[in-house]
Amino acid sequence: MQRCARVYRLPMNAPDDVSAIRELITDSTLEPQQIVAILGKTEGNGCVNDFTRGYATLSLRNLLAEFLNKLQIEQIPLVMSGGTEGGLSPHWIVLAIVEEVEQSGSALAIGSVITRVLEPSEVGRHTQSLLVQDAVIQAMKAADIKTADDVHFVQIKCPLLTSERIASVDGDVSTSSTLKSMGLSRGASALGVALALKEIDCMSEADIGVDLSKWSSRASCSAGIELMSCEVLVMGQSSSWSGPLRIAHTVMEDAIDAQSVIKLLSQSIPDDPWPVSPGRLIATLAKAEASSSGRIRECRHTMLEDSDVSSTRHARGFVGGLISGLIGHTENFISGGAEHQGPDGGGPIAVIYSQPTGS
Amino acid sequence: MQRCARVYRLPMNAPDDVSAIRELITDSTLEPQQIVAILGKTEGNGCVNDFTRGYATLSLRNLLAEFLNKLQIEQIPLVMSGGTEGGLSPHWIVLAIVEEVEQSGSALAIGSVITRVLEPSEVGRHTQSLLVQDAVIQAMKAADIKTADDVHFVQIKCPLLTSERIASVDGDVSTSSTLKSMGLSRGASALGVALALKEIDCMSEADIGVDLSKWSSRASCSAGIELMSCEVLVMGQSSSWSGPLRIAHTVMEDAIDAQSVIKLLSQSIPDDPWPVSPGRLIATLAKAEASSSGRIRECRHTMLEDSDVSSTRHARGFVGGLISGLIGHTENFISGGAEHQGPDGGGPIAVIYSQPTGS
Amino acid sequence: MQRCARVYRLPMNAPDDVSAIRELITDSTLEPQQIVAILGKTEGNGCVNDFTRGYATLSLRNLLAEFLNKLQIEQIPLVMSGGTEGGLSPHWIVLAIVEEVEQSGSALAIGSVITRVLEPSEVGRHTQSLLVQDAVIQAMKAADIKTADDVHFVQIKCPLLTSERIASVDGDVSTSSTLKSMGLSRGASALGVALALKEIDCMSEADIGVDLSKWSSRASCSAGIELMSCEVLVMGQSSSWSGPLRIAHTVMEDAIDAQSVIKLLSQSIPDDPWPVSPGRLIATLAKAEASSSGRIRECRHTMLEDSDVSSTRHARGFVGGLISGLIGHTENFISGGAEHQGPDGGGPIAVIYSQPTGS
Amino acid sequence: MQRCARVYRLPMNAPDDVSAIRELITDSTLEPQQIVAILGKTEGNGCVNDFTRGYATLSLRNLLAEFLNKLQIEQIPLVMSGGTEGGLSPHWIVLAIVEEVEQSGSALAIGSVITRVLEPSEVGRHTQSLLVQDAVIQAMKAADIKTADDVHFVQIKCPLLTSERIASVDGDVSTSSTLKSMGLSRGASALGVALALKEIDCMSEADIGVDLSKWSSRASCSAGIELMSCEVLVMGQSSSWSGPLRIAHTVMEDAIDAQSVIKLLSQSIPDDPWPVSPGRLIATLAKAEASSSGRIRECRHTMLEDSDVSSTRHARGFVGGLISGLIGHTENFISGGAEHQGPDGGGPIAVIYSQPTGS
């Protein structure tokens, strides 16, 4: 018997709408004990005061509490990412593991680790990177993902600073701007992934948010007000796992890099040339951000100058439009703020797809 | 000798940055008398209090006043459309006409008409539709565009209501909501285009903003605070015109309809398979809007529920991302609010491209 | 023995922070069974997609479930009002009833009624007004408030329309705009209060949102996505009640009517001339809105033209600043959208204060 | 003969509406040569991409060009401050100087100086403070304001950084955040005022934006995209000036400090007890900001956590509501972002009022 990953992409009618997950359980498709992580793309602003993430998390906890005990719930990363700008659609991605008869070949493998609670003074600093580095390595081991090359996406939920938290450590923090703390926390986490996957050899605290030439091609980090630890979810390919699911990734070089996405799909799923049949594409995970140069291929953008709408909202909607057009539906997990996650202005993208038996 | 259209897409560093247009004139590329219209994609919110449109218009008028007299300036439609959400890039599109040696074949033809000033009580009502219908027919004649099928895009700038304007007619207006007046004005204009191009047989005032099954496949309407007339710019193909420029259009069926855009490019420019070489694509004009159903291909979107960012901003950024990825640059004239302009949730898109001599 | 109202104003560090209420219970200040209503001023945008209200409500329900059964919880109105613009401070107002030795005189009296669930097609229509009228009359009886003049504030939480709800009744709704539905729902509720308190003789559906000359001087209505019934909380003076708490109200004639507020305080609390000692003022409840004329005492305002920030947010912050300055703290329950709640551009304000024994 | 200041507060229907100023000139109330400064409170967001300031400035320049030559126009500070949140009303304040028969006593005196153009690398740094310090001292001399105590308000317009400007100096800037650059520029200017008025003895670059215990009680600084120099306008009392106008100032200790404002009015205008007759109060100039502690008198505020609306917008509307209620109208020049301008969370406020002859 081998482990087999199952991935369910489910609609969410509001941050507290867990009905689609409940249905999976009550109709016996899924046993609650099989759930290893739940991702949620919620409809808030994705910034500091986005309470849709906490609301969704609380709603999930209430649901899970009907079936699992407190300790079991605590071990399941609940990674909420706010922001469904443009036509992006709020949705859940439920990751579960079942046992299946052994197959030859390689399949999607999942491992997750939750770090200890961080002090506010550690957020966005070197300690956070090191904690994430360790967590990624542990999660790879747990999932029996053998090499760094076999890792295709690392989804991380990490903390941010609030005025309260800053005051609690007498201002000994990486930044006194609550909005900026989200970027530093994401960046510190991403550099931790880059260390773990040996994409960079070393880093110092001064690199965080500054040296954008250091980045991971597979890190995707979201900051949220509702937690103070880092929840690390590693997804890759492993010959120890079975089932029809596969994962592949690439890097979008900039916000309009359609060709890389098409190439990823064409190479991963050669038997179903792009545009891929909708049923094959189970989940899409990607990062988006405004390039710090203020330009996309020589043309000026205005995302960083807009004081009405934050640049992360702009970038999610814009890249979300492109990816949705190329994928063929709008339930894509596009997360904003890609500091050290892919090249400046670009970002990693991974697709989980199904491979029919025998092919 | 025949008329020959010239189209220049130029960068704009701020709403008052007319330096790129000035340079065209001072380096003798363009004579001011040749300008027949200027479009501007400015970086405001594209909604009621978007003063970037008026600021750009005033800056253009100041520039033109150095070269032309007041009467000449008044005859040039200055069509500013606010909103460069996501990575869209503020830019000017200068349309000019020169005389050239006659060629066989057909080329881009341009005609423009400015209607009389509307009363606030006429905005968003049947009278506006009829005024636009007449203007489109007149502009076709002026441009010698022979049939409705030869019209590929009609860009219209039309007025909106403000609290002041509503009060000036004692509240006898189509709506007392200033934001909603933008939609009704755009919709009334679009239905006027549909009448002129015989896409619909008839309409009544009650249809405006309500019967979305009536629409034009080539209307693109922007409402702005800075004018009270309708500025109508018709673009099409005519055998009376010469030069390398061509125009083609299609309709995006929904906000993620990548395939229609790729098909338009492939069929229009068969000698340069998609992705088309950047130099061939001179200008892209398109409409975007949130579907009133609240869904894109069965998946819920949140644009109409977002009270922080208007749905027109969401839609422009989202569709702008897709089009920019498919076109290969971000200077695309995506305009929001597509009431009666294409199907609900979709919209017309036109490309002006160059056809090398002899091909 | 007589009923005695107790009112606790408590801080809220986030929408899910119910720790101050929990503390009241665990330190035995308050028995959970004594709670008759909880108001919450939460830090969302106060508009359609303000999920802080639902998040706070869910957090309260989780807390109450530790002490009360489901039926008991359902009978407690949980009235969340979003929006703490400017310096307003998120807070809870817990209303409780205890038994006390009979006193002569009159004191704060509280009654609450929750109407049946409304159909989406009833929201913002005459039926809603009639349901609220009945509920106010029932609540007065329950609280033994003998005349309409003895009613000083009626706080109502009522539903709004979403795209989903509109679709569920095939578009048979008062408005297809989700944001506008909030105003119609508030307005319909307020007219119900005006009927119950005999401030108007009659009304028709056509008056809702239109005839602003019809209004209640004591209605305060908030619309929220998290309920489909109307929760009606009546506060007044009754000789059947005991204790140190009193309530008084006035109407602000416009958004800068400082003098009415000062007069209210001076007349209600003559023994402590304005500025009143902070300890005396237990709770302040008020409504704020942008005048539909676009003017405040002859000067233009821009709240209705701002497409970036909704007018309700502007009005709450602006009036909130004035009231906070006059009251001396920022935990004031200012609610936006005052359709038919006070004169156009103004609104009701009530203060709950303590009267020392013997005075 | 002595100089006599004249101050006109005039309505503005849009950023380009200079009709009220034009009327003053055409009806011979004012000669264009008498104008020494024009302040404008415009209806943008007051942040980085607020183009209403530039639009108003361009409209003013176009107007003035009808009457004055280029050199004359350049010497008139045009100080636009964006943001009329809440019920604040867009307006102009025109400052002019005429010659009058000498009077005994002291009257409003005005002096202005425009510094040299700053490099982007100087914005928000020590050099900016020193340039402003010099400019204040020069302006005092020009206005014959004899001591620092006689200075009651210093209004400054200073530059901000954009992505373009940051790139032009290869990132050698005080901050790479365009929004944050506004605060540092305002702060550096304010510390320059504090130096000039001897409110602080010394400062270093590290103090800017950091050591908020250093502040000026009379500085009011606005940052704008439309200039690269600092425009410094000093207002005070001088025995060398005549006429009915007077100026007085105080400091609001926090955002709800109503009592200081009432005290200022009562002491300055003892013959007309508060609420002062509207005709007496010519202009009100004040600063507002969110306290960095996250609290107002022990209660939490949410301005710094709101990623949808910037804290400067919140603070202007909130403090604007209080001041408008106390002053009695909404044409108050409330400017946001009070770094080093008054105590943290508070700010300076000045009133220009008229003193009838003989009193």
Side-chain angles (χ1 to χ4, degrees):
Chain A
M1 297 293 281
Q2 279 188 325
R3 283 178 288 180
C4 168
R6 290 204 179 154
V7 177
Y8 303 91
R9 191 182 77 237
L10 302 166
M12 182 200 293
N13 278 322
D16 63 332
D17 174 30
V18 295
S19 60
I21 304 176
R22 178 189 300 282
E23 207 174 317
L24 272 194
I25 296 172
T26 55
D27 75 2
S28 300
T29 304
L30 184 69
E31 288 178 41
Q33 290 78 5
Q34 296 169 336
I35 298 173
V36 290
I38 302 179
L39 278 62
K41 194 89 209 75
T42 63
E43 60 200 279
N45 62 23
C47 300
V48 176
N49 64 329
D50 181 352
F51 295 103
T52 62
R53 295 175 303 224
Y55 190 18
T57 301
L58 182 58
S59 302
L60 278 177
R61 283 194 205 286
N62 278 359
L63 172 72
L64 294 174
E66 299 176 31
F67 307 103
L68 302 175
N69 64 38
K70 208 178 162 190
L71 190 65
Q72 288 174 312
I73 296 172
E74 274 174 9
Q75 288 165 343
I76 300 174
L78 304 175
V79 182
M80 303 298 113
S81 165
T84 56
E85 289 77 9
L88 289 174
S89 190
H91 64 284
W92 306 103
I93 298 175
V94 180
L95 304 170
I97 300 179
V98 298
E99 296 285 314
E100 284 214 346
V101 175
E102 192 169 336
Q103 288 179 325
S104 60
S106 165
L108 172 65
I110 301 169
S112 73
V113 168
I114 300 178
T115 70
R116 69 162 169 81
V117 164
L118 277 76
E119 290 298 307
S121 53
E122 293 172 330
V123 171
R125 286 183 167 161
H126 198 197
T127 304
Q128 185 176 346
S129 301
L130 298 179
L131 285 169
V132 167
Q133 178 186 16
D134 279 354
V136 170
I137 291 168
Q138 284 174 45
M140 285 173 65
K141 278 187 193 148
D144 204 15
I145 297 174
K146 293 180 183 68
T147 74
D149 283 355
D150 292 324
V151 173
H152 289 279
F153 215 66
V154 181
Q155 182 67 44
I156 292 174
K157 186 81 206 206
C158 50
L160 55 79
L161 296 174
T162 61
S163 299
E164 296 282 316
R165 291 171 186 172
I166 293 169
S168 76
V169 290
D170 294 330
D172 171 20
V173 285
S174 54
T175 175
S176 59
S177 156
T178 56
L179 189 58
K180 200 173 174 190
S181 77
M182 300 181 75
L184 292 178
S185 180
R186 287 187 299 251
S189 296
L191 288 171
V193 177
L195 286 172
L197 302 185
K198 302 191 185 310
E199 299 181 288
I200 59 173
D201 289 330
C202 61
M203 62 160 288
S204 73
E205 190 156 306
D207 292 333
I208 302 172
V210 174
D211 184 356
L212 299 180
S213 71
K214 295 184 173 173
W215 47 269
S216 169
S217 62
R218 285 155 283 172
S220 168
C221 312
S222 270
I225 202 169
E226 69 277 11
L227 80 176
M228 279 305 291
S229 56
C230 294
E231 302 187 342
V232 175
L233 183 66
V234 172
M235 287 171 273
Q237 288 281 131
S238 168
S239 56
S240 307
W241 291 59
S242 292
L245 298 186
R246 306 285 179 274
I247 185 167
H249 84 279
T250 191
V251 168
M252 290 176 71
E253 293 298 326
D254 60 26
I256 59 172
D257 184 7
Q259 304 312 321
S260 287
V261 179
I262 294 174
K263 192 174 163 193
L264 169 67
L265 295 172
S266 302
Q267 294 185 341
S268 306
I269 316 179
D271 59 303
D272 189 357
W274 182 78
V276 180
S277 316
R280 296 287 294 277
L281 300 171
I282 310 302
T284 307
L285 305 151
K287 290 298 299 189
E289 71 169 359
S291 63
S292 68
S293 66
R295 297 193 171 265
I296 299 175
R297 300 190 194 171
E298 301 310 308
C299 292
R300 183 172 75 100
H301 67 73
T302 61
M303 296 187 266
L304 299 173
E305 261 78 32
D306 191 340
S307 305
D308 296 310
V309 177
S310 79
S311 67
T312 50
R313 300 202 74 178
H314 277 294
R316 262 192 307 267
F318 190 71
V319 175
L322 176 55
I323 289 177
S324 297
L326 300 178
I327 292 288
H329 66 76
T330 57
E331 286 181 341
N332 299 301
F333 195 89
I334 317 287
S335 164
E339 304 83 355
H340 304 294
Q341 300 150 67
D344 185 15
I349 175 169
V351 286
I352 297 173
Y353 58 97
S354 66
Q355 194 63 31
T357 318
S359 63
Chain B
M1 297 292 281
Q2 279 187 325
R3 284 178 288 180
C4 168
R6 292 206 178 152
V7 178
Y8 303 92
R9 190 181 78 236
L10 303 165
M12 182 200 295
N13 278 322
D16 63 331
D17 173 30
V18 296
S19 59
I21 303 176
R22 178 189 300 282
E23 207 174 317
L24 272 193
I25 296 171
T26 54
D27 75 3
S28 299
T29 303
L30 184 69
E31 288 177 41
Q33 291 77 5
Q34 296 169 336
I35 297 173
V36 290
I38 302 178
L39 278 62
K41 194 89 209 74
T42 64
E43 58 200 279
N45 62 24
C47 299
V48 175
N49 64 329
D50 181 352
F51 295 104
T52 62
R53 295 174 303 224
Y55 190 19
T57 301
L58 181 59
S59 302
L60 278 176
R61 284 194 205 287
N62 278 359
L63 173 72
L64 294 174
E66 298 176 32
F67 308 103
L68 302 175
N69 65 38
K70 208 179 161 192
L71 190 64
Q72 289 174 310
I73 296 173
E74 275 174 9
Q75 288 165 343
I76 300 174
L78 304 174
V79 182
M80 303 298 114
S81 164
T84 55
E85 289 78 9
L88 289 174
S89 190
H91 64 284
W92 306 104
I93 299 175
V94 179
L95 305 170
I97 301 180
V98 298
E99 295 286 314
E100 284 214 346
V101 176
E102 192 170 338
Q103 287 179 323
S104 60
S106 165
L108 171 65
I110 301 169
S112 74
V113 168
I114 299 178
T115 71
R116 69 162 169 81
V117 164
L118 277 77
E119 290 297 309
S121 53
E122 292 172 330
V123 171
R125 286 182 167 162
H126 198 197
T127 304
Q128 185 176 344
S129 299
L130 298 178
L131 285 168
V132 167
Q133 178 186 17
D134 279 354
V136 171
I137 291 168
Q138 283 174 46
M140 285 173 65
K141 277 188 195 149
D144 205 15
I145 297 173
K146 293 181 182 69
T147 74
D149 282 356
D150 292 325
V151 173
H152 289 278
F153 216 66
V154 182
Q155 182 67 44
I156 292 175
K157 187 81 207 205
C158 50
L160 56 79
L161 296 175
T162 61
S163 300
E164 296 281 317
R165 291 171 187 173
I166 293 169
S168 76
V169 291
D170 294 330
D172 171 20
V173 285
S174 53
T175 175
S176 58
S177 156
T178 56
L179 189 58
K180 200 173 173 190
S181 77
M182 300 180 77
L184 292 177
S185 180
R186 287 187 298 250
S189 295
L191 288 171
V193 177
L195 285 171
L197 301 185
K198 302 194 185 308
E199 299 180 287
I200 58 174
D201 289 331
C202 61
M203 62 160 287
S204 72
E205 190 155 306
D207 292 333
I208 302 171
V210 174
D211 184 356
L212 298 180
S213 71
K214 296 185 173 173
W215 48 268
S216 168
S217 62
R218 284 154 285 173
S220 167
C221 311
S222 270
I225 203 169
E226 68 278 12
L227 81 176
M228 278 305 292
S229 55
C230 293
E231 302 188 344
V232 175
L233 183 67
V234 172
M235 287 171 275
Q237 289 280 132
S238 167
S239 57
S240 308
W241 291 60
S242 292
L245 298 187
R246 306 286 179 273
I247 186 167
H249 84 279
T250 191
V251 168
M252 290 176 70
E253 293 298 326
D254 59 27
I256 59 172
D257 184 6
Q259 305 311 322
S260 287
V261 179
I262 293 174
K263 191 174 162 193
L264 169 68
L265 295 171
S266 301
Q267 293 185 342
S268 307
I269 316 179
D271 59 304
D272 189 357
W274 183 78
V276 180
S277 316
R280 295 289 293 277
L281 300 172
I282 310 301
T284 306
L285 305 151
K287 290 298 298 191
E289 71 168 359
S291 62
S292 68
S293 66
R295 297 194 171 265
I296 298 175
R297 299 191 194 170
E298 302 310 309
C299 291
R300 183 171 76 100
H301 67 72
T302 61
M303 295 187 268
L304 299 173
E305 259 80 31
D306 190 339
S307 306
D308 296 309
V309 178
S310 78
S311 67
T312 50
R313 300 203 74 181
H314 277 295
R316 261 192 307 268
F318 190 71
V319 174
L322 177 56
I323 290 178
S324 297
L326 300 179
I327 292 289
H329 66 76
T330 58
E331 286 181 342
N332 299 301
F333 194 90
I334 317 287
S335 166
E339 303 83 356
H340 303 294
Q341 300 150 68
D344 184 15
I349 175 168
V351 286
I352 296 173
Y353 59 97
S354 66
Q355 195 62 31
T357 318
S359 64
Chain C
M1 297 291 283
Q2 279 188 326
R3 283 179 287 181
C4 169
R6 290 204 177 154
V7 177
Y8 303 91
R9 191 181 78 238
L10 303 166
M12 181 200 296
N13 277 323
D16 63 332
D17 174 30
V18 296
S19 60
I21 303 175
R22 179 188 300 280
E23 207 174 319
L24 272 193
I25 296 171
T26 54
D27 75 2
S28 301
T29 304
L30 183 68
E31 288 177 39
Q33 291 76 7
Q34 296 169 337
I35 298 173
V36 290
I38 302 178
L39 278 62
K41 194 90 206 74
T42 63
E43 59 199 279
N45 63 24
C47 300
V48 175
N49 63 329
D50 181 352
F51 295 102
T52 63
R53 296 175 303 226
Y55 190 19
T57 301
L58 181 59
S59 302
L60 278 175
R61 283 194 206 285
N62 277 358
L63 173 72
L64 294 174
E66 299 176 29
F67 307 103
L68 302 175
N69 64 38
K70 208 178 161 192
L71 190 65
Q72 287 173 314
I73 295 173
E74 274 173 10
Q75 287 164 345
I76 301 174
L78 304 175
V79 183
M80 302 301 113
S81 164
T84 56
E85 288 79 9
L88 290 173
S89 190
H91 64 285
W92 306 103
I93 299 176
V94 179
L95 304 170
I97 302 180
V98 299
E99 296 286 313
E100 283 215 347
V101 176
E102 192 171 336
Q103 288 179 325
S104 60
S106 164
L108 171 64
I110 300 168
S112 73
V113 168
I114 299 178
T115 69
R116 67 161 170 83
V117 164
L118 277 76
E119 291 297 308
S121 53
E122 293 173 330
V123 171
R125 286 184 167 160
H126 199 198
T127 305
Q128 184 177 346
S129 300
L130 298 178
L131 285 169
V132 167
Q133 178 185 17
D134 279 356
V136 171
I137 291 168
Q138 283 174 46
M140 286 174 65
K141 277 187 193 147
D144 206 15
I145 298 173
K146 294 185 180 65
T147 74
D149 283 356
D150 292 325
V151 173
H152 289 280
F153 214 66
V154 181
Q155 182 67 43
I156 292 175
K157 186 81 207 205
C158 50
L160 55 80
L161 295 175
T162 61
S163 299
E164 297 280 316
R165 290 170 187 174
I166 293 169
S168 76
V169 290
D170 294 330
D172 171 21
V173 285
S174 53
T175 175
S176 58
S177 155
T178 56
L179 189 58
K180 200 173 175 190
S181 77
M182 299 180 76
L184 292 178
S185 180
R186 289 187 298 250
S189 296
L191 288 171
V193 176
L195 285 171
L197 302 185
K198 301 193 187 305
E199 298 180 288
I200 59 173
D201 290 331
C202 61
M203 62 158 288
S204 72
E205 191 157 302
D207 292 334
I208 302 171
V210 174
D211 184 356
L212 299 180
S213 71
K214 297 185 172 171
W215 47 269
S216 169
S217 63
R218 286 155 284 173
S220 168
C221 311
S222 270
I225 202 171
E226 69 278 11
L227 81 176
M228 279 304 292
S229 56
C230 293
E231 303 188 344
V232 174
L233 184 66
V234 172
M235 287 171 273
Q237 289 281 132
S238 168
S239 58
S240 308
W241 291 59
S242 291
L245 298 187
R246 306 286 180 270
I247 186 168
H249 83 280
T250 190
V251 167
M252 290 176 69
E253 295 297 326
D254 58 26
I256 60 172
D257 184 7
Q259 306 310 321
S260 287
V261 179
I262 294 173
K263 193 174 163 193
L264 169 68
L265 295 171
S266 302
Q267 292 185 343
S268 307
I269 316 177
D271 59 304
D272 189 357
W274 183 78
V276 180
S277 316
R280 296 288 293 276
L281 300 171
I282 309 302
T284 308
L285 304 151
K287 289 299 297 190
E289 70 168 1
S291 63
S292 67
S293 66
R295 299 196 170 263
I296 298 174
R297 298 189 196 173
E298 302 311 308
C299 291
R300 181 171 76 101
H301 66 73
T302 60
M303 295 187 268
L304 299 174
E305 259 80 32
D306 191 340
S307 306
D308 295 310
V309 179
S310 79
S311 67
T312 50
R313 301 202 75 178
H314 276 295
R316 262 192 307 268
F318 191 71
V319 175
L322 177 55
I323 290 178
S324 296
L326 301 178
I327 292 289
H329 66 76
T330 56
E331 286 181 340
N332 299 301
F333 195 89
I334 317 288
S335 166
E339 304 83 355
H340 304 292
Q341 301 150 66
D344 184 16
I349 176 170
V351 286
I352 297 173
Y353 57 97
S354 67
Q355 196 61 33
T357 320
S359 65
Chain D
M1 297 290 283
Q2 279 187 325
R3 284 178 287 181
C4 169
R6 291 203 177 155
V7 178
Y8 303 91
R9 192 182 76 238
L10 303 166
M12 182 200 297
N13 278 322
D16 64 331
D17 174 31
V18 297
S19 61
I21 304 175
R22 178 188 300 281
E23 207 174 318
L24 272 193
I25 295 171
T26 55
D27 75 2
S28 300
T29 304
L30 184 69
E31 288 178 39
Q33 291 76 8
Q34 296 168 336
I35 298 173
V36 291
I38 303 178
L39 278 62
K41 193 91 206 75
T42 63
E43 59 200 279
N45 63 23
C47 300
V48 175
N49 64 329
D50 182 352
F51 295 103
T52 63
R53 295 174 304 224
Y55 190 20
T57 301
L58 181 60
S59 301
L60 278 175
R61 283 194 207 285
N62 277 357
L63 172 73
L64 294 174
E66 299 176 30
F67 307 103
L68 302 174
N69 64 38
K70 206 177 161 192
L71 190 64
Q72 289 174 312
I73 296 172
E74 273 174 11
Q75 288 165 343
I76 301 174
L78 304 175
V79 183
M80 303 299 113
S81 164
T84 56
E85 288 79 10
L88 289 174
S89 191
H91 64 285
W92 306 104
I93 299 175
V94 179
L95 305 170
I97 302 179
V98 299
E99 295 286 313
E100 284 215 347
V101 175
E102 192 170 338
Q103 289 178 324
S104 60
S106 166
L108 171 64
I110 300 169
S112 73
V113 168
I114 299 178
T115 70
R116 68 161 169 82
V117 164
L118 277 75
E119 290 298 307
S121 52
E122 292 173 330
V123 171
R125 287 183 166 160
H126 199 197
T127 304
Q128 185 177 346
S129 300
L130 298 178
L131 286 169
V132 167
Q133 177 185 18
D134 279 354
V136 170
I137 291 168
Q138 284 175 45
M140 285 174 64
K141 278 188 193 148
D144 206 15
I145 298 173
K146 293 183 182 67
T147 73
D149 283 355
D150 292 325
V151 173
H152 289 279
F153 215 67
V154 182
Q155 182 67 44
I156 292 174
K157 186 82 207 206
C158 50
L160 55 80
L161 295 175
T162 61
S163 299
E164 297 280 317
R165 291 169 187 174
I166 294 169
S168 77
V169 290
D170 294 330
D172 171 21
V173 285
S174 53
T175 176
S176 58
S177 155
T178 56
L179 188 59
K180 199 173 174 190
S181 78
M182 300 180 75
L184 291 178
S185 180
R186 289 186 299 250
S189 295
L191 288 171
V193 177
L195 285 171
L197 302 185
K198 301 193 188 306
E199 299 180 287
I200 59 173
D201 289 331
C202 62
M203 62 161 286
S204 72
E205 191 158 302
D207 292 335
I208 303 170
V210 175
D211 184 356
L212 299 179
S213 72
K214 297 186 171 171
W215 47 268
S216 168
S217 62
R218 285 155 282 174
S220 168
C221 311
S222 270
I225 202 170
E226 69 277 12
L227 81 177
M228 279 303 293
S229 57
C230 294
E231 303 188 344
V232 175
L233 184 66
V234 171
M235 288 172 273
Q237 288 281 130
S238 169
S239 58
S240 307
W241 291 60
S242 291
L245 298 187
R246 305 286 180 270
I247 186 168
H249 84 280
T250 191
V251 168
M252 290 176 69
E253 294 298 326
D254 58 27
I256 59 172
D257 185 6
Q259 306 310 321
S260 287
V261 179
I262 294 173
K263 192 174 164 193
L264 169 69
L265 295 171
S266 302
Q267 292 185 341
S268 307
I269 315 177
D271 59 302
D272 189 357
W274 183 78
V276 180
S277 316
R280 295 289 293 277
L281 299 172
I282 310 302
T284 307
L285 304 151
K287 288 299 297 189
E289 69 167 3
S291 63
S292 68
S293 66
R295 299 193 170 266
I296 299 174
R297 298 188 196 174
E298 302 309 307
C299 291
R300 182 172 75 101
H301 66 73
T302 61
M303 295 187 268
L304 298 174
E305 259 79 30
D306 191 340
S307 306
D308 296 309
V309 179
S310 80
S311 68
T312 50
R313 301 202 74 178
H314 277 294
R316 264 192 306 268
F318 191 72
V319 174
L322 177 56
I323 289 177
S324 297
L326 300 178
I327 292 288
H329 66 76
T330 57
E331 286 181 341
N332 298 301
F333 195 90
I334 316 289
S335 166
E339 303 84 354
H340 304 294
Q341 302 150 68
D344 185 15
I349 175 169
V351 287
I352 297 173
Y353 58 97
S354 67
Q355 196 61 33
T357 319
S359 64

